[in-house]
Amino acid sequence: MRSGARYQRTLDLLANAKKWDASTVTKSGVMVGIGEATEELIAVFRDLGERGVDILTIGQYLRPSKDHLPMTRYYTPAEFLSLKEEALKFGFKHVESGALVRSSYHAHEQADVAAG
């Protein structure tokens, strides 16, 4: 979704960060509500987990303007909890999951948890 983003390049960067220095805390995030299937999200969680990503954020996509992609649905709090539980199965040290979660959501606390 992000302009210029390439999925495989992102995965490679995250994997290489761990190869260069295994103690590096890595983080990625996904936004939901733009037409994805749960199976697709699980596949992303798996891909990130296989690359040793430490922190994952899962948030609700909110259309910033009419020029952006439309939102297809809102996720419920129970669905965010379920996504968090699924993600934790792939070895993340910390997962933030909720409607208002963004990549910087409680970033300092996330880093503390992941580092130690």
Side-chain angles (χ1 to χ4, degrees):
M1 294 274 321
R2 194 169 35 87
S3 177
R6 300 291 178 268
Y7 188 68
Q8 189 59 52
R9 181 173 53 194
T10 299
L11 293 176
D12 292 344
L13 175 66
L14 291 164
N16 285 331
K18 289 295 187 182
K19 288 179 188 172
W20 295 321
D21 182 352
S23 69
T24 298
V25 176
T26 54
K27 175 179 177 180
S28 191
V30 297
M31 301 301 285
V32 298
I34 49 176
E36 68 286 334
T38 301
E39 297 78 21
E40 292 172 308
L41 291 170
I42 301 301
V44 170
F45 301 162
R46 181 179 301 109
D47 288 346
L48 294 171
E50 287 174 352
R51 282 146 184 92
V53 172
D54 299 294
I55 302 168
L56 176 66
T57 59
I58 307 167
Q60 176 69 54
Y61 172 76
L62 300 171
R63 187 179 191 185
S65 76
K66 64 179 178 141
D67 297 324
H68 290 82
L69 286 175
M71 181 177 51
T72 60
R73 76 179 186 94
Y74 286 104
Y75 278 65
T76 67
E79 289 173 307
F80 278 109
L81 179 58
S82 177
L83 289 174
K84 178 178 181 170
E85 291 168 350
E86 285 297 318
L88 286 168
K89 294 177 184 176
F90 295 101
F92 298 101
K93 293 180 181 174
H94 188 76
V95 177
E96 292 280 353
S97 181
L100 299 179
V101 170
R102 299 295 179 261
S103 63
S104 60
Y105 189 85
H106 295 162
H108 188 267
E109 293 88 350
Q110 294 173 19
D112 289 344
V113 169

